[in-house]
Amino acid sequence: MRALAWMLIGMVATLMMLAMAGVYVARSSWGRQRVKRVIERSVDERLDGTLHLEQVGGDLTSQLVLDGVELRDREGHTVVRIKHLSARYRLGDLARHRLVLDEIAIDGAEVHLQRGREGRWNLPAMFDSLPAGTSDSPWRVLIGKGRAQGHVTVQEGRIELPIQVAIRLHGEPHSDRLSLEEAVLSAPGVRLTAQGTWAPHSDFALTAELVGTDLSQIGALVSRTASDGWQGLRGQVKGQGRLARNRGRLRGEIDLEGEGVQAGPVRSSAVHLHLQYDGESQLRGKLRLSVPSWPTPYGRWGALRLDARLEPDRLWIDGFTAASGRGQITGRGEARIEDGGLNRMELRAEAEHFSVITPAGAVEVEARLRLTLVHTGDGYAGTLRVAEGKLRLPDQWGHRALQPLGSLEDLLFVGQSPSPVVAHPDRHIAVAIAFGDPLLVHTREFEARIGGSLELTAPQGRGFSLVGTLESLSGGWADLLGRRFTIERARLDFAGERPINPGIDIRLVRHLHEADLWVGLFGTLRAPQLELSSEPPRYDRAELVSLLVSGEPNRPVSEGSLDSAAVASLPGLIVSALKEQLLPGLPIDVLRVESSAEGFSTTRVEVGKYLSSRIYLSYTHQFGVANPLGPQNSNQATIEWRFARQLRLDTTFGDAGIGSADLYFTLRR
């Protein structure tokens, strides 16, 4: 027994000496370097990156102190840098495959989050690439008290967002419960605070509060391109959020209220969003939006208001109102949700004096609309029904030429690439447009009731096309150069061409004392062909042109300059064809038609001929009364004579006995 006792005493003494030797070695410079290499190698084996430690401190039996911690990605870029990290632990917990870290302190932490070219963020990518077999471990890491402070820099392209971070934790290792006493994230103009708890079996509960006074840098970060609406995010927002998971069931709720929120050119005076998630994909919510003005590519609409509700299987639009011009459009609708997407949509709206801004001006719309869309797998198909429709086109509709759409070939982007056009090649839209009643189209120059049917298709993001026919019903009229014609026939045939260029078949007639003057327009909208005739056929081509322009068959006209402000829409097509097809070869040089702002009631027609390079002779006829306060010439002749390089004499005389002689001197520098 005595020998056994001495043997046990010897073993204990030996173990004590070995432990003391281990502590001494660990606290030595050689021992600390050895611990440093073990920690670095252990982390390098488990992450797609490398860990670099500047110095290892502490007694290593109950406390570890690390200074100059750097975590780098595979390219050698620093992702995480920590100035000072310390934690306490107990060696006795290691026997139970546990590591309890207490009194954790992290100071001067710097985290650099950056999105790579492939679209992945650098820090998550280091953990996503864990080698096989390293994610499962019998060891458990538990946390007692801890705090951390530092900042995170989020970089997206050339945009950087600095975020100050402060966190306080309190853990209960005996129950595996961890409390987030407070987490504060502060970015320029934005502050987010959060509290929460983590319980065993991955249950947790979090609450957060957001206060934003300037969202510009957040918007710049969220925006992927300069053209995105998030780029100009401004305004103030407040919100609260709650997120919890209990026995594997996730629940959450978000309330956001904004005032003066602006995203790009869109500015909202008030916005309220409420979302609630109740597990099992049960998402509910409400949205209330008020926008004082809404931009379009060619101008701005007025106020916009929207109230919407989200149910697990439905999206309800309880009401929307958009104002534009002197009217508005109101409506409501719903959409069915299946497999996370919109399966069937129906929208009813009523427009009253609602102005749609186009490149040629504002089109005023009155109609009752019903849009139905059904998901077809590769897109949407449906019907737009128009009832009691009226369109009032702007005066001189079509006066301004449409500009081609597409990339700007003569524009050079310096320092950055142009924003790409986001297309959806998997989306195919086909909408049949049906008119329940004749559509009344009205301008100051013509009026017609339109019937027919169209189908609008937008295949795979390549623009849209139209297929179908529009034709006028009886009773239409058109003012052409100050004289009213009856629309006998007007038909447009769309065959799906891109750009849109329908075939046209238009016949106008004006009943005169001697004969009926017929005007025909055929071919396509972009290349119309004009045909003039009379019944009975008593006029030649020159007389028909003179009859159309001046109202008298014996006044010859020729190709010249037609003032485009005096013609528009259907009259514009006819006059353009008149200039290009019928006037060449006739024996004068200038034809000019001018109209006052009041319309064609005071039309002025000028016909001119150059007798030589220095002498110009013209005849002018004034329709209507241009100046009711005094006498004026209805018929007037003018001679312009350039008898020197800088001198010109203009002589005018008319049937009202009014004439003038003016001498002009031109000074050129």
Side-chain angles (χ1 to χ4, degrees), residues 404-415:
L405 300 177
S407 60
L408 304 177
E409 299 179 355
D410 58 344
L411 182 60
L412 176 63
F413 289 85
V414 178

Side-chain angles (χ1 to χ4, degrees), residues 123-134:
L123 184 59
M126 298 176 66
F127 292 91
D128 291 343
S129 302
L130 283 173
T134 60

Side-chain angles (χ1 to χ4, degrees), residues 88-110:
R88 292 190 175 276
Y89 51 86
R90 293 180 299 180
L91 292 178
D93 292 327
L94 302 180
R96 292 178 291 174
H97 289 87
R98 297 198 323 171
L99 178 61
V100 181
L101 300 177
D102 198 9
E103 298 182 18
I104 303 172
I106 300 176
D107 297 306
E110 301 178 16

Side-chain angles (χ1 to χ4, degrees), residues 101 138 201 236 451:
L101 300 177
H201 311 294
Q236 300 181 4

Side-chain angles (χ1 to χ4, degrees), residues 62-202:
S62 61
Q63 184 185 30
L64 177 66
V65 178
L66 302 178
D67 293 324
V69 181
E70 282 196 22
L71 187 60
R72 302 173 184 173
D73 59 17
R74 62 170 64 181
E75 286 81 17
H77 301 141
T78 300
V79 180
V80 179
R81 179 186 288 114
I82 301 175
K83 183 179 180 180
H84 177 83
L85 186 154
S86 63
R88 292 190 175 276
Y89 51 86
R90 293 180 299 180
L91 292 178
D93 292 327
L94 302 180
R96 292 178 291 174
H97 289 87
R98 297 198 323 171
L99 178 61
V100 181
L101 300 177
D102 198 9
E103 298 182 18
I104 303 172
I106 300 176
D107 297 306
E110 301 178 16
V111 180
H112 299 272
L113 290 176
Q114 184 175 8
R115 191 194 296 267
R117 295 181 178 178
E118 66 280 2
R120 301 180 62 195
W121 292 94
N122 53 356
L123 184 59
M126 298 176 66
F127 292 91
D128 291 343
S129 302
L130 283 173
T134 60
S135 59
D136 297 330
S137 173
W139 288 86
R140 298 174 60 195
V141 179
L142 305 176
I143 296 177
K145 293 183 178 180
R147 63 171 181 82
Q149 65 85 25
H151 70 268
V152 178
T153 301
V154 184
Q155 184 173 358
E156 173 72 22
R158 294 184 297 174
I159 301 172
E160 290 189 2
L161 178 66
I163 303 175
Q164 297 293 328
V165 180
I167 299 174
R168 288 188 292 111
L169 299 172
H170 181 77
E172 301 175 7
H174 61 278
S175 63
D176 289 354
R177 184 180 295 274
L178 178 64
S179 297
L180 176 63
E181 295 182 349
E182 185 181 47
V184 180
L185 284 74
S186 300
V190 181
R191 178 182 174 89
L192 175 68
T193 58
Q195 299 84 32
T197 59
W198 278 266
H201 311 294
S202 299

Side-chain angles (χ1 to χ4, degrees), residues 282-602:
Q282 301 294 309
L283 184 63
R284 293 177 171 84
K286 292 182 179 181
L287 173 65
R288 178 170 295 174
L289 180 67
S290 175
V291 178
S293 63
W294 188 264
T296 71
Y298 309 109
R300 301 187 72 87
W301 287 358
L304 172 68
R305 292 180 177 84
L306 173 66
D307 286 297
R309 290 180 293 121
L310 178 65
E311 297 291 339
D313 60 344
R314 292 284 178 98
L315 173 64
W316 301 89
I317 300 177
D318 293 329
F320 73 88
T321 302
S324 180
R326 63 190 185 103
Q328 64 180 10
I329 183 171
T330 59
R332 58 194 305 119
E334 64 177 286
R336 295 180 183 175
I337 301 176
E338 292 185 6
D339 300 328
L342 300 180
N343 182 57
R344 178 183 175 87
M345 293 174 281
E346 184 170 333
L347 181 67
R348 297 173 181 266
E350 183 172 348
E352 183 177 357
H353 302 295
F354 183 77
S355 294
V356 178
I357 310 301
T358 72
V363 178
E364 196 170 271
V365 180
E366 292 188 42
R368 289 190 294 109
L369 309 171
R370 180 178 178 181
L371 175 64
T372 303
L373 291 176
V374 179
H375 189 254
T376 59
D378 61 345
Y380 291 91
T383 303
L384 173 63
R385 301 185 183 277
V386 182
E388 301 177 9
K390 297 180 182 179
L391 294 181
R392 180 177 178 83
L393 306 182
D395 294 336
Q396 298 181 353
W397 170 261
H399 166 54
R400 285 181 288 179
L402 299 181
Q403 300 299 318
L405 300 177
S407 60
L408 304 177
E409 299 179 355
D410 58 344
L411 182 60
L412 176 63
F413 289 85
V414 178
Q416 64 178 8
S417 301
S419 302
V421 177
V422 180
H424 300 279
D426 57 339
R427 297 289 189 267
H428 180 96
I429 298 177
V431 178
I433 304 174
F435 299 98
D437 305 299
L439 177 65
L440 176 62
V441 181
H442 175 74
T443 71
R444 194 169 59 186
E445 288 81 25
F446 76 92
E447 180 178 288
R449 294 185 178 273
I450 305 298
S453 61
L454 290 174
E455 181 177 351
L456 183 148
T457 60
Q460 299 182 351
R462 297 195 303 264
F464 69 91
S465 61
L466 293 172
V467 176
T469 300
L470 293 178
E471 56 185 346
S472 67
L473 306 178
S474 60
W477 54 266
D479 270 348
L480 181 59
L481 298 177
R483 281 162 290 279
R484 177 160 295 193
F485 284 72
T486 300
I487 301 177
E488 289 292 323
R489 181 175 70 245
R491 179 186 176 97
L492 280 73
D493 292 311
F494 299 86
E497 62 281 333
R498 288 193 299 268
I500 294 176
N501 185 27
I504 57 176
D505 181 6
I506 300 173
R507 291 275 288 175
L508 309 179
V509 63
R510 177 173 172 80
H511 302 290
L512 305 175
H513 294 294
E514 298 83 3
D516 293 338
L517 176 61
W518 288 86
V519 178
L521 207 60
F522 310 98
T524 65
L525 189 63
R526 295 176 181 268
Q529 300 295 317
L530 180 65
E531 180 182 284
L532 297 181
S533 62
S534 66
E535 183 63 37
R538 55 183 300 177
Y539 302 112
D540 59 20
R541 187 176 71 167
E543 291 174 325
L544 289 172
V545 173
S546 177
L547 191 64
L548 176 64
V549 174
S550 66
E552 300 180 13
N554 55 356
R555 288 193 179 152
V557 294
S558 73
E559 182 178 11
S561 59
L562 285 172
D563 186 352
S564 61
V567 294
S569 189
L570 178 59
L573 288 175
I574 294 175
V575 173
S576 297
L578 175 69
K579 290 172 57 181
E580 296 174 2
Q581 300 169 31
L582 297 182
L583 294 184
L586 296 182
I588 62 175
D589 301 316
V590 175
L591 170 66
R592 182 177 291 113
V593 180
E594 297 177 353
S595 176
S596 68
E598 287 75 19
F600 291 109
S601 60
T602 58

